[in-house]
């Protein structure tokens, strides 16, 4: 299957109809004598254990159940179904096709990562569909201030934020556990891959680059190694395959120090890490701060973080002077408190919550705080009071985004989030 495309809804209905049972999570909204589906998640699992959950309120219900495949197929087709004593119907006429995405293992999609590859189909909700209210939810389940908070807690087990809303009516997930790459470590002269899976007979592990390629037969789950006498070539591809079918893969584009890396791949680079980060100086993907900033310097850092997230990502180093001298964080307050201070700044001033990680690097006894920001595939705003501002990175400078850049950023924002 291609990385993305379209699938006829009738094909999904047939797939569900052939399954004895599937795992389902449903968010329902009361509508006169019926319950309308607000969001449904289906996972094709043959015998996966499931702990049922049922939260019932006067205006909303949330169900996690194992249901017969034909029942879910009928609901997807638009037929009213009796589910756990509730008359449930999907709003509006069924759409003719679903968007499909083929995701590799360890790939984050809307803040969710699974070790194994998966195919996901999404069907968007009609924009004219009535939205749930914002009344208090008190009933046979935890109490919530409103529907959005309940939905976030039910689906994600996390507090509601601006990323938690869903535009999709259905999300259907097919795990693909034949084989996957559970961990990859890249050193100066060796690539090590840990392979796992349920059907690895006849599989091949291939490392290919522009100049050459090497293959190894996979005789089961375990650790496999590729020698790298000249280091890892730029734009290399590691593919776990069975004949002409890809099972899992990782690509390794040319490294740009200062940008966030694939968290599923461990890099064991020669030499001190900070020296590598600073090798090319401040630029499009790297910003340095002497200490946790205040005042206008604080605003500048937060605008830069929003710009990193809106584009291709980048790194902020705190404890490094503008001339790239590593001075480390001051002793007081503690480095942990300084890290929490920065995390709080980002939480309060960048919307939606940007994809980033914070960590500390010890360099010759000096602590440096690293904020690694990933590109989020959409526009992120720096907010001050009621005003939201959008920024981009041009070389080493953070500048206001132009109207067409903002519009393009919102057009490319992903509609698939977490499950």
């Amino acid at each position: 299957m291609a990385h993305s495309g379209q699938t006829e809804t009738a094909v999904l209905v047939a797939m569900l109809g052939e399954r004895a049972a599937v795992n389902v999570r449903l968010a329902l909204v009361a509508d006169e004598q019926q319950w309308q589906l607000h969001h449904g998640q289906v996972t094709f699992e043959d015998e996966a254990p499931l702990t049922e959950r049922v939260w019932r309120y006067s205006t909303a219900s949330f169900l996690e159940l194992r249901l017969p495949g034909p029942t879910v197929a009928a609901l997807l087709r638009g037929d009213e179904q009796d589910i756990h004593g509730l008359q449930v119907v999907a709003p509006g006429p069924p759409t003719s096709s679903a968007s499909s995405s083929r995701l590799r293992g360890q790939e984050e999609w809307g803040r969710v990562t699974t070790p194994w590859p998966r195919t996901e189909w999404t069907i968007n909700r009609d924009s004219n569909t009535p939205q749930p209210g914002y009344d208090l939810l008190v009933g046979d389940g935890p109490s919530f201030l409103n529907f959005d908070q309940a939905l976030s807690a039910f689906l994600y087990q996390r507090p509601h934020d601006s990323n938690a809303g869903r535009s999709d009516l259905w999300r259907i997930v097919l795990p693909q556990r034949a084989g996957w790459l559970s961990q990859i470590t890249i050193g100066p002269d060796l690539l090590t891959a840990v392979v796992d899976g349920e059907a690895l007979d006849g599989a091949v592990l291939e490392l290919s680059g522009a100049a050459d390629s090497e293959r190894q037969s996979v005789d089961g789950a375990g650790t496999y190694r590729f020698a790298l006498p000249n280091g890892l070539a730029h734009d290399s591809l590691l593919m776990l395959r069975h004949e002409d079918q890809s099972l899992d893969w990782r690509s390794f584009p040319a490294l740009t120090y200062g940008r966030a890396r694939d968290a599923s791949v461990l890099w064991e680079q020669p030499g001190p890490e900070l020296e590598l980060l600073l090798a090319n100086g401040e630029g499009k993907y790297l910003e340095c701060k002497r200490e946790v900033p205040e005042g206008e310097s604080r605003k500048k850092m937060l605008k830069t973080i929003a710009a990193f997230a809106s584009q291709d990502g980048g790194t902020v180093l705190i404890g490094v002077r503008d001339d790239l001298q590593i001075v480390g964080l001051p002793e007081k307050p503690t480095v942990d408190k300084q890290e929490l201070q920065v995390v709080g700044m980002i939480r309060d001033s960048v919307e939606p919550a940007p994809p980033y990680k914070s960590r500390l690097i010890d360099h010759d006894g000096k602590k440096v705080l690293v904020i690694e920001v990933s590109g989020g595939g959409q526009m992120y705003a720096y907010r001050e009071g009621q005003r939201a501002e959008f920024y981009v990175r041009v070389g080493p400078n953070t500048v206001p985004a132009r109207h067409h850049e903002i519009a393009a950023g919102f057009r490319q924002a992903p509609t698939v989030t977490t499950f």
Side-chain angles (χ1 to χ4, degrees):
M1 177 177 291
H3 287 255
S4 61
Q6 296 288 318
T7 300
E8 294 297 316
T9 303
V11 173
L12 297 176
V13 169
M15 290 172 61
L16 287 166
E18 294 172 354
R19 296 281 177 145
V22 292
N23 293 346
V24 178
R25 286 189 283 185
L26 304 175
L28 311 175
V29 178
D31 180 22
E32 297 179 356
Q33 301 302 314
Q34 293 178 321
W35 288 86
Q36 280 211 0
L37 178 69
H38 178 79
H39 175 69
Q41 295 182 354
V42 181
T43 304
F44 287 97
E45 297 281 11
D46 292 329
E47 298 179 357
L50 176 72
T51 301
E52 291 191 355
R53 288 187 297 159
V54 178
W55 297 353
R56 292 283 300 272
Y57 309 95
S58 60
T59 59
S61 289
F62 302 87
L63 313 176
E64 182 167 13
L65 305 167
R66 188 157 176 80
L67 296 177
T71 299
V72 183
L75 188 59
L76 178 62
R77 194 168 53 236
D79 300 337
E80 180 178 331
Q81 295 294 298
D82 185 323
I83 298 176
H84 210 271
L86 304 178
Q87 297 302 311
V88 179
V89 65
T95 185
S96 61
S97 65
S99 299
S100 64
S101 297
R102 172 76 158 86
L103 306 174
R104 62 168 174 78
Q106 300 290 348
E107 182 171 1
E108 181 178 354
W109 186 274
R111 300 177 297 157
V112 166
T113 303
T114 57
W116 26 261
R118 62 195 191 273
T119 298
E120 297 189 3
W121 295 272
T122 56
I123 297 175
N124 283 347
R125 187 183 306 113
D126 190 316
S127 59
N128 297 321
T129 301
Q131 297 299 305
Y134 287 89
D135 299 330
L136 287 167
L137 294 186
V138 182
D140 186 14
S143 299
F144 295 97
L145 285 175
N146 53 52
F147 181 91
D148 286 346
Q149 286 197 359
L151 180 66
S152 183
F154 188 78
L155 297 181
Y156 324 130
Q157 292 77 53
R158 67 192 339 170
H160 169 68
D161 60 33
S162 54
N163 278 338
R166 303 200 62 91
S167 62
D168 45 320
L169 178 67
W170 287 101
R171 183 174 187 177
I172 301 171
V173 180
L174 175 62
Q176 293 171 332
R177 300 193 181 93
W180 67 89
L181 302 165
S182 60
Q183 182 175 306
I184 298 168
T185 304
I186 300 173
D189 56 4
L190 185 70
L191 182 149
T192 304
V194 179
V195 176
D196 205 344
E198 299 174 355
L200 290 169
D201 289 348
V204 171
L205 194 59
E206 177 183 10
L207 179 63
S208 59
D212 53 24
S213 65
E214 181 181 351
R215 297 182 182 181
Q216 295 186 33
S217 296
V218 175
D219 55 8
T223 301
Y224 297 83
R225 297 175 175 85
F226 290 90
L228 305 174
N230 300 312
L232 182 68
H234 292 169
D235 298 320
S236 295
L237 175 67
L238 181 66
M239 177 71 68
L240 179 64
R241 55 186 289 186
H242 187 275
E243 296 180 349
D244 60 351
Q245 178 186 9
S246 66
L247 302 180
D248 199 4
W249 67 93
R250 296 290 186 279
S251 61
F252 309 104
L255 291 177
T256 304
Y257 296 110
R259 294 179 63 182
R261 297 171 177 169
D262 182 345
S264 71
V265 179
L266 303 177
W267 293 82
E268 294 180 346
Q269 296 291 347
E273 181 178 10
L274 275 182
E275 292 179 7
L276 292 170
L277 287 169
L278 296 171
N280 296 321
E282 285 190 294
K284 185 176 181 180
Y285 303 111
L286 184 64
E287 178 91 0
C288 298
K289 295 292 181 184
R290 164 67 182 83
E291 57 190 2
V292 176
E294 297 180 356
E296 288 301 316
S297 181
R298 172 183 178 273
K299 293 180 183 179
K300 180 182 177 182
M301 182 189 74
L302 293 168
K303 292 173 182 178
T304 295
I305 289 173
F308 282 158
S310 297
Q311 295 177 292
D312 299 325
T315 300
V316 177
L317 298 178
I318 303 178
V320 179
R321 294 192 324 210
D322 290 342
D323 61 4
L324 306 184
Q325 293 300 307
I326 301 168
V327 294
L329 297 170
E331 294 183 2
K332 294 184 179 180
T334 66
V335 293
D336 289 341
K337 288 185 178 180
Q338 292 178 72
E339 182 176 11
L340 288 174
Q341 183 182 358
V342 173
V343 169
M345 291 178 185
I346 298 172
R347 181 187 62 238
D348 295 339
S349 301
V350 183
E351 294 184 354
Y356 78 96
K357 293 181 180 180
S358 64
R359 61 190 179 94
L360 291 165
I361 292 179
D362 190 330
H363 183 87
D364 295 334
K366 299 172 183 177
K367 301 287 187 181
V368 175
L369 178 59
V370 183
I371 307 296
E372 294 175 321
V373 185
S374 300
Q378 66 179 76
M379 293 301 293
Y380 291 78
Y382 166 73
R383 180 174 290 280
E384 186 173 16
Q386 297 300 312
R387 182 175 179 176
E389 303 171 356
F390 297 92
Y391 292 87
V392 294
R393 195 77 167 165
V394 178
N397 301 312
T398 298
V399 301
R402 298 177 180 178
H403 289 163
H404 73 273
E405 292 171 322
I406 297 173
F410 278 108
R411 282 197 299 270
Q412 71 181 9
T415 58
V416 180
T417 53
T418 60
F419 68 89

